Amino acid sequence: KERICKAALKLFKHKGLDQTTVDEIAEKADVAKGTFFNYFPRKEAVLGFLPEMWIDQAEVEAEANMADRGGEPAGPRITEMFVQLAHFYEEDRKLAKWGAMEWLRREQSGCDENCQRWDELGVRLVKYLQEKGELRSDVPPQRAAGMFGAVHQETVMRWVAAPMEPYPLRDELRKRMSLIAEGLRPRAGGNA
């Protein structure tokens, strides 16, 4: 599956998504066309596999970022982790748009395993930051994680949908995610 994905991405970048055929992807990946369809229902679905790879990476990085570092705050490291995961979008705006639309399609289905893993990771990280006292504990973790996710997704979607790059994506993500984190920090004299 990963080999098919890598072959498809190379072709998409070289020829464009619309001009690339499933036959070409299968040939470049050195698999039969039927094997391609065992993993992906259509060529655009290959872009939906990227989040699976990103989630695998994010889960490993999240564990590393949740490791105690002598009292050093984990929030900025975790924010930066999600900011850096957006590098794919900056590499190829056209592919980024297709990838973002595929993610949105999967998310709207309500039963995509990758979307569920992404949401669960967000909730786990928020709970961790709440336990460390870096985020308010009076906000349900699902709500706080949803806020971070919505801001991240909206920032990416506006960036890929704009006819010209409206802002440096990772810089804007960093600013917006930090603003949400600031608003969720515990306040002196209580959480409310």
Side-chain angles (χ1 to χ4, degrees), residues 73-138:
R77 291 192 312 270
I78 291 169
T79 297
E80 191 60 25
M81 175 188 82
F82 282 104
V83 167
Q84 292 308 319
L85 285 172
H87 74 86
F88 162 78
Y89 296 108
E90 292 176 320
E91 289 175 8
D92 187 319
R93 282 181 50 80
K94 194 170 187 177
L95 276 182
K97 185 173 187 172
W98 279 100
M101 296 309 292
E102 179 64 17
W103 176 263
L104 199 57
R105 186 192 69 73
R106 287 169 169 242
E107 186 178 58
Q108 296 302 315
S109 76
C111 59
D112 184 79
E113 181 183 329
N114 291 323
C115 293
Q116 291 169 357
R117 282 176 64 198
W118 206 229
D119 292 345
E120 289 166 6
L121 177 62
V123 169
R124 193 168 85 229
L125 289 167
V126 165
K127 284 181 180 178
Y128 170 77
L129 292 171
Q130 286 175 326
E131 290 167 6
K132 283 190 57 102
E134 293 185 42
L135 293 180
R136 294 170 48 179
S137 61
D138 65 324

Side-chain angles (χ1 to χ4, degrees), residues 19-75:
Q19 287 69 41
T20 301
T21 67
V22 170
D23 287 328
E24 292 170 321
I25 296 169
E27 182 180 327
K28 187 159 187 77
D30 196 27
V31 298
K33 186 175 180 179
T35 302
F36 174 92
F37 287 114
N38 285 338
Y39 293 104
F40 303 104
R42 58 194 200 300
K43 66 182 177 182
E44 294 82 3
V46 170
L47 296 172
F49 179 63
L50 290 173
E52 185 175 331
M53 292 190 306
W54 295 339
I55 291 167
D56 290 343
Q57 177 185 348
E59 287 173 336
V60 169
E61 289 182 27
E63 290 303 319
N65 283 313
M66 288 190 292
D68 186 29
R69 296 191 186 173
E72 176 190 332

Side-chain angles (χ1 to χ4, degrees), residues 121-188:
L121 177 62
V123 169
R124 193 168 85 229
L125 289 167
V126 165
K127 284 181 180 178
Y128 170 77
L129 292 171
Q130 286 175 326
E131 290 167 6
K132 283 190 57 102
E134 293 185 42
L135 293 180
R136 294 170 48 179
S137 61
D138 65 324
V139 177
Q142 292 80 1
R143 180 174 294 145
M147 290 168 56
F148 280 110
V151 167
H152 192 279
Q153 183 176 25
E154 192 271 344
T155 304
V156 169
M157 292 304 284
R158 280 188 184 272
W159 189 84
V160 298
M164 296 185 66
E165 186 176 315
Y167 40 74
L169 180 59
R170 286 185 280 179
D171 290 342
E172 190 64 22
L173 277 170
R174 190 176 294 109
K175 289 173 187 171
R176 291 181 183 198
M177 301 293 278
S178 296
L179 186 59
I180 296 292
E182 180 67 33
L184 288 171
R185 280 204 185 101
R187 295 186 175 102

